[in-house]
Amino acid sequence: MTDKLPYKDANHSIDERVDDLLARMTIEEKAGLMFHTMVMVSPDGAFNPDIGAFGLASIGEMLDKHMTHFNLVGAADAKSMAAWVNQLQALAASKRLGIPVTLSSDPRHSFNENPGAHMATAAFSQWPEAPGFAAIGDEALVEQFADIARQEYLAVGLRAALHPMADLATEPRWARVNGAFGEDSQMAAKLTAAYIRGFQGTELGAESVACMTKHFPGGGPQKDGEDSHFAYGREQVYPGENFDYHLPPFEAAFEAGTAMIMPYYSMPVGTEHEEVGFAFNKGIITGLLREHYGFDGVVCTDWGPLTDAKIMGSVFPARAWGVEHLSVAERMLKALDAGVDQFGGEACPELLVELIRGGRVKEARIDCSARRLLRDKFRLGLFENCAVDESAAARIAGNPAFRAAGELAQRKSIVLLKNSGLLPLRGQPKLYVENIQPDVAARYGEVVAEPSAADIAILRLSAPFEPRNDIFLESFFHAGDLDFKEPEKSRLLSIMAQTPTIVDIHLDRPAVMPEIAAACAGLVANFGASDAAVLDIIFGRFKPSATLPFELPSSMAAVRAQHPDVPHDSKDPLFPYGFGLTY
């Protein structure tokens, strides 16, 4: 009898099967379960187990280290992705115990590309970002989206979602606002639960995608709005003494049965908790998450808390905030003591093996985490069937019905903020457009080259940010001030002075734009929408009904004076939370 047969007997309970497999595993095999790092699919779907990505070991080397949890980055067409996954699973099956791989992904259905947070995948349907769902405020729609996303993930072999974000957008400068369901705790709680139900179902099973809800106990209250991917943003603060306000979305996630939880990089400052990153924080992981809430699922760190990485030629320091002075081994020990089960973005199980063999970590502690990780593989049915139907993948992912649902949601999420009486536009006016495909604009009017020749100007803008290009990943995060700067502000205002102008602004963060709001004839806001979706609103082919999921401050002075842990508390906002007009 081989090592691969006994634990595959589905006639036994999952707990029995986990215990049987665990008893057969070496320390090295158990340690390998506890690391969850990146692998990349090539654009053409070619599978090469001997090539690594992001300076990491190759797939073959990582499988040899007994790692079986991978975060898939990159994208190909659906059939090629499915074929790539099948080759990976076949290689994993060839190992001693044949433990299948759990492939995870950041969000793939948005318009944004950020390798540290999400990446668009052309093969899938496209939907608004999370604030757009909050702008609509419909739990059933969120559950429908998550169910469609689940089917598209399953079609290409993705079985774990590194989302939803249950964080709150209480600090408008935070670079992750576009992943959060707005700034209202109760709205975010309802939508987080609906999201998990859509991905996982009523319980985790063979048709589920497991959710890793993040970032416990709530990212968002960042000092000065800076993000804790970077050392200058490591501090999370609560000057409004509003720590508990950020917990209800996670409470809803626990009630919905989220399989996994990810703590953030940040270190809490000025609270009862130790001032170390949440992954190293025993009061947060063991005290609050495990003991207070009774969570017994997998806790996986955010990516890269232990080791420095070299990405695209830049050194990216470990996000070991508050424990920078500790060695990698000491950081690992502190995270294990805090209650972590898995190290995201890391690939050093050999170090954990050394700690076990040296008596610094008890094997029973590793068994506890390994049991949770194996339990999810069994619950997902990976031991029965980890292969995907390559021919079906292209029929399922991005099919016309899924794409139509996403396009409808885009339109529903657009907020009308100002109408001087010009909207909706009628007829076939002469249009001057910026950041709109001319062939799309031509369906609505005659496109002209200069504002002076137009009846109407339509400008698609993005919320302002401060470009930061010091290292590879930093350049993808929109951070810093929220207001339009010179000379761009004057250029925009000059167009509005010449021609009646409709402005559409993509709010991946709240924008500060009092002069533009005053000068334009109409103002709409989107949270990820196509040109056609926006123009359908402007021309009255779709009736706007959404409302703002966060306030739009009136000045940067008001932004700096507000509390990062408190919702909609800036002085005299330009547009308050929940504002929205209709026709």
Side-chain angles (χ1 to χ4, degrees), residues 94-412:
S94 70
K95 302 302 178 182
R96 185 179 80 89
L97 292 173
I99 296 174
V101 166
T102 304
L103 272 176
S104 67
S105 177
D106 282 305
R108 286 180 173 266
H109 289 79
S110 70
F111 284 75
N112 286 321
E113 284 279 8
N114 181 338
H118 40 68
M119 60 171 49
T121 297
F124 292 171
S125 51
Q126 276 195 310
W127 297 71
E129 276 95 27
F133 286 115
I136 301 168
D138 185 347
E139 294 171 72
L141 178 61
V142 172
E143 189 165 347
Q144 179 197 22
F145 155 72
D147 179 61
I148 287 173
R150 174 190 65 82
Q151 294 176 65
E152 293 181 322
Y153 272 35
L154 285 176
V156 300
L158 296 170
R159 300 307 307 274
L162 304 179
H163 43 97
M165 274 179 56
D167 310 301
L168 299 176
T170 52
E171 167 49 76
R173 291 169 290 182
W174 187 37
R176 303 297 298 277
V177 164
N178 67 320
F181 291 119
E183 62 181 328
D184 182 80
S185 185
Q186 293 305 313
M187 173 64 74
K190 291 192 297 184
L191 300 188
T192 296
Y195 195 106
I196 293 167
R197 290 195 300 268
F199 268 98
Q200 293 190 173
T202 55
E203 61 181 26
L204 207 64
E207 296 301 313
S208 300
V209 171
C211 285
M212 186 181 292
T213 303
K214 59 190 185 185
H215 304 87
F216 191 78
Q222 300 301 125
K223 184 181 178 183
D224 300 325
E226 299 292 0
D227 187 74
S228 55
H229 275 80
F230 314 105
Y232 53 73
R234 67 182 192 161
E235 295 182 63
Q236 194 158 308
V237 295
Y238 299 88
E241 299 183 355
N242 215 24
F243 182 96
D244 289 350
Y245 183 79
H246 295 259
L247 294 174
F250 293 95
E251 294 166 352
F254 302 144
E255 182 67 25
T258 185
M260 298 171 280
I261 286 288
M262 177 191 290
Y264 209 28
Y265 300 120
S266 309
M267 50 183 280
V269 175
T271 73
E272 64 184 281
H273 300 288
E274 185 183 5
E275 292 188 1
V276 296
F278 289 124
F280 306 100
N281 202 308
K282 192 170 185 176
I284 293 293
I285 303 301
T286 294
L288 185 60
L289 181 60
R290 296 287 194 205
E291 295 175 354
H292 178 75
Y293 285 118
F295 180 73
D296 191 40
V298 169
V299 175
C300 179
T301 72
D302 210 332
W303 267 219
L306 301 178
T307 60
D308 297 346
K310 192 170 185 179
I311 303 176
M312 303 293 286
S314 299
V315 175
F316 197 41
R319 272 71 75 210
W321 310 139
V323 296
E324 296 96 329
H325 61 288
L326 298 182
S327 67
V328 174
E330 290 167 334
R331 294 170 188 172
M332 186 179 290
L333 287 169
K334 189 167 180 63
L336 291 170
D337 183 60
V340 160
D341 296 305
Q342 194 173 58
F343 296 98
E346 300 285 359
C348 51
E350 64 280 3
L351 179 55
L352 179 54
V353 171
E354 288 179 18
L355 293 173
I356 299 168
R357 296 203 183 280
R360 301 179 72 184
V361 176
K362 294 185 182 299
E363 189 171 355
R365 169 64 185 86
I366 302 307
D367 287 350
C368 181
S369 292
R371 185 172 281 106
R372 291 188 181 110
L373 292 157
L374 289 172
R375 181 177 62 192
D376 282 353
K377 287 184 185 286
F378 278 109
R379 290 200 293 171
L380 290 169
L382 287 169
F383 284 93
E384 282 72 43
N385 184 20
C386 61
V388 291
D389 185 336
E390 297 170 22
S391 62
R395 297 197 305 271
I396 296 169
N399 70 53
F402 290 174
R403 290 191 182 277
E407 290 164 5
L408 177 60
Q410 292 171 35
R411 288 160 174 79
K412 286 183 175 181

Side-chain angles (χ1 to χ4, degrees), residues 428-433 445-458 494-495 497-501:
Q428 290 283 316
K430 293 181 179 178
L431 300 175
Y432 170 77
V433 300
E446 179 187 346
V447 179
V448 298
E450 298 294 335
S452 58
D455 299 317
I456 300 289
I458 303 177
S494 71
I495 294 173
Q498 295 177 58
T499 309
T501 301

Side-chain angles (χ1 to χ4, degrees), residues 37-41 53 59 62 70-74 84 88 103:
T37 197
M38 294 86 73
V39 294
M40 178 175 281
V41 60
I59 292 171
M62 288 189 284
F70 298 118
N71 169 202
L72 186 66
V73 296
W84 188 94
L88 172 62
L103 272 176

Side-chain angles (χ1 to χ4, degrees), residues 432 451-457 459 488-503 515-516 518-521:
Y432 170 77
S452 58
D455 299 317
I456 300 289
L459 310 180
E488 178 65 3
K489 182 167 70 173
S490 290
R491 187 190 74 83
L492 294 171
L493 292 174
S494 71
I495 294 173
M496 296 175 201
Q498 295 177 58
T499 309
T501 301
I502 309 302
V503 171
E515 301 91 346
I516 289 171
C520 68

